[in-house]
Amino acid sequence: LATSLRDDWSIKDVVREVVRSSAYRRSTEAADGSRDVLLERDPTNALLAVAPIRRLQAESIRDAMLATSGRLDPRVGGPSVATHLTSFMNGRGRPGRSGPLDGEGRRSLYLEVRRNFANPMLAAFDLPAPMTTVGRRNTSNVPAQALVLMNDPFVHEMSGVWAARVLADESLADDRSRLQHMWRQAYAIPMPEETLESMLAFVEAEPDRTVAYTDLAHALCNGKAFIHLD
């Protein structure tokens, strides 16, 4: 990679070379019949025998929730959106106004950054502190992240918006098609049949369809596959 920069110092060419490499395109699972061999030769995956599973960065997790709910604003550029202030965000320098909970649907890139009033959800998923320079982000796995996905008002709001959009979509004829659609939106893979049957049973058992679909949307956002690249 270093020698490939000698001619014209094109970062785009280097990125193109990386993403076209066999290592970059590998699966996270070994091919049939090769698992034992790979584990023996590369037990710690130092040689990239398989692709490592990676957790999404904080901003990408928030943006993914906006995207699945249909609330994401794809516009490029524009002013930053004021920080949403919770009742717990008090102290010196507190902004005079609070921004909307969903950040007007803008990507996390456009959220205002306040040194002493960081977005709680993004902070839980290792958003770097704005008062320091960070060369490489930490990627932690701590209980606070599960609690954020379970309780954060933004997650609940996006779940409700997602559920309402799915129920209003006339192209989805029945519960089976709606649930399959939501699963693909969340995880980009087909839904296992046994999972579909369980979700159908849950929907049928809840008399309030809005509540049922909101709870399902919330559960999908809490799945490990939602916040990890596999």
Side-chain angles (χ1 to χ4, degrees):
L1 289 177
T3 56
S4 66
L5 284 170
R6 289 184 304 182
D7 297 331
D8 58 1
W9 284 92
S10 173
I11 300 299
K12 288 185 178 180
D13 287 344
V14 173
V15 172
R16 188 178 294 111
E17 185 172 351
V18 169
V19 299
R20 288 179 174 177
S21 68
S22 61
Y24 186 88
R25 291 182 285 125
R26 285 176 185 165
S27 170
T28 54
E29 297 184 3
D32 293 341
S34 65
R35 177 180 296 276
D36 293 338
V37 176
L38 291 177
L39 288 175
E40 181 180 350
R41 293 181 179 178
D42 190 16
T44 63
N45 203 33
L47 303 178
L48 298 180
V50 296
I53 296 176
R54 294 180 290 129
R55 201 205 72 204
L56 293 174
Q57 293 185 345
E59 297 95 330
S60 297
I61 294 173
R62 177 184 173 275
D63 291 356
M65 292 182 182
L66 286 170
T68 53
S69 70
R71 186 69 182 88
L72 182 68
D73 183 347
R75 286 181 299 143
V76 176
S80 58
V81 181
T83 301
H84 176 71
L85 301 174
T86 70
S87 58
F88 300 99
M89 298 168 70
N90 295 303
R92 182 179 179 182
R94 191 177 194 270
R97 64 185 182 91
S98 174
L101 178 60
D102 67 351
E104 298 178 356
R106 301 304 308 275
R107 291 168 54 201
S108 303
L109 174 68
Y110 299 108
L111 295 182
E112 186 178 83
V113 176
R114 294 274 181 167
R115 185 178 67 176
N116 296 326
F117 298 92
N119 182 296
M121 175 184 176
L122 300 184
F125 286 98
D126 305 305
L127 182 73
M131 69 284 291
T132 60
T133 300
V134 178
R136 176 175 295 187
R137 293 191 182 193
N138 294 325
T139 303
S140 63
N141 183 16
V142 295
Q145 294 166 359
L147 292 173
V148 164
L149 292 177
M150 181 66 67
N151 300 312
D152 191 87
F154 170 78
V155 181
H156 282 270
E157 181 172 292
M158 291 303 100
S159 299
V161 172
W162 187 10
R165 183 167 67 92
V166 169
L167 289 171
D169 190 341
E170 296 181 356
S171 67
L172 302 174
D174 52 26
D175 288 332
R176 179 176 292 268
S177 60
R178 292 187 188 96
L179 297 178
Q180 290 173 331
H181 177 72
M182 293 178 72
W183 187 272
R184 280 188 175 275
Q185 281 188 304
Y187 306 139
I189 57 174
M191 181 192 292
E193 185 63 28
E194 59 272 20
T195 303
L196 176 57
E197 295 302 326
S198 297
M199 293 176 70
L200 283 170
F202 175 81
V203 169
E204 293 170 357
E206 172 57 58
D208 190 324
R209 294 176 60 75
T210 299
V211 171
Y213 273 86
T214 299
D215 288 345
L216 282 173
H218 190 200
L220 291 174
C221 290
N222 275 262
K224 288 292 185 183
F226 191 85
I227 63 173
H228 288 84
L229 292 176
D230 185 352

